[in-house]
Amino acid sequence: MPEISPPAAPPRTDHTLIDDTQGLAYGSFMAALSVVVLTHLGFVTGQTAGIALLISYATGWDWAWVFFVVNIPFYWVGWKRFGPTFVAKSLFAVTLTSVLAALLPRYLSFSDLNPLLGAIMIGAFTGSGLIALFRHGASLGGIGIVGLYIQDATGFRAGWVQLIVDAAIFAVALFLLDPVAVGWSFLGAVVANLTIAINHRRDRYIV
């Protein structure tokens, strides 16, 4: 009998401009929606978004502007590590997220939101938004870029860099926020990371 060959994999095609625009817009919208829930509940998160939240809580400055400014130094690192296209897409995503996070509270509010449900919502919104951005060649987190840069230069794993920074952010948050809120925030971070780990795998999905 002739050997039966497995079905050929579908040809891979690059994202079009429309694909990228939609993906970056969706990812930015979900990230901004997550920030609205975060700030309503007084929670915190990791990466540059978490740094911006801590600065916002401590100073009263608007998160959207702080987030935009905090990310500026990381664009140079991103340019060196990933090139101008990545930086341009990331700049677009960060700018759009900042704008939406400033505008959405005018049209969306919560009279009562259970913190458990809020933490799950934050994780789901963040995870799905970041997956969309990753798959369209962008990022919201400058810490991840620096982690990869350090990994290339020293061999120290990028994941450990991000973990150390996130641990520091949550440690500082304990001095600024209610410990219970920090605990709920940690749950949201777990949900977000599980969402990304399970659904953003190159060995399982075509990206």
Side-chain angles (χ1 to χ4, degrees):
M1 293 181 62
E3 184 178 350
I4 300 176
S5 301
R12 179 169 177 167
T13 57
D14 293 331
H15 289 127
T16 66
L17 178 60
I18 294 176
D19 293 338
D20 280 341
T21 302
Q22 185 276 333
L24 297 177
Y26 172 82
S28 301
F29 176 76
M30 295 304 288
L33 195 58
S34 175
V35 171
V36 173
V37 180
L38 273 166
T39 52
H40 171 77
L41 293 172
F43 291 176
V44 72
T45 188
Q47 305 296 303
T48 50
I51 295 173
L53 276 169
L54 291 181
I55 294 173
S56 177
Y57 290 148
T59 63
W61 296 342
D62 186 82
W63 178 88
W65 287 106
V66 175
F67 179 64
F68 181 84
V69 172
V70 163
N71 271 287
I72 290 175
F74 297 104
Y75 293 130
W76 180 83
V77 181
W79 186 292
K80 298 285 287 185
R81 179 62 173 76
F82 296 108
T85 300
F86 171 83
V87 171
K89 289 181 177 180
S90 297
L91 177 59
F92 174 80
V94 168
T95 303
L96 184 56
T97 299
S98 298
V99 170
L100 289 172
L103 293 177
L104 281 175
R106 302 181 185 180
Y107 307 99
L108 177 66
S109 62
F110 303 94
S111 59
D112 183 31
L113 181 58
N114 180 273
L116 172 60
L117 177 59
I120 295 172
M121 289 169 61
I122 290 164
F125 293 161
T126 302
S128 63
L130 289 177
I131 288 173
L133 295 177
F134 294 159
R135 292 186 176 182
H136 290 272
S139 173
L140 288 179
I143 303 301
I145 300 170
V146 171
L148 289 170
Y149 195 82
I150 292 174
Q151 179 174 288
D152 289 346
T154 68
F156 191 74
R157 297 293 295 273
W160 285 111
V161 174
Q162 294 187 77
L163 182 62
I164 290 170
V165 172
D166 284 352
I169 290 172
F170 277 89
V172 172
L174 287 171
F175 293 95
L176 297 175
L177 306 175
D178 177 11
V180 174
V182 177
W184 287 122
S185 301
F186 181 76
L187 174 61
V190 169
V191 172
N193 283 298
L194 284 175
T195 301
I196 295 170
I198 294 171
N199 294 285
H200 188 60
R201 290 180 51 175
R202 292 183 179 275
D203 62 331
R204 181 175 291 171
Y205 304 109
I206 298 173
V207 297

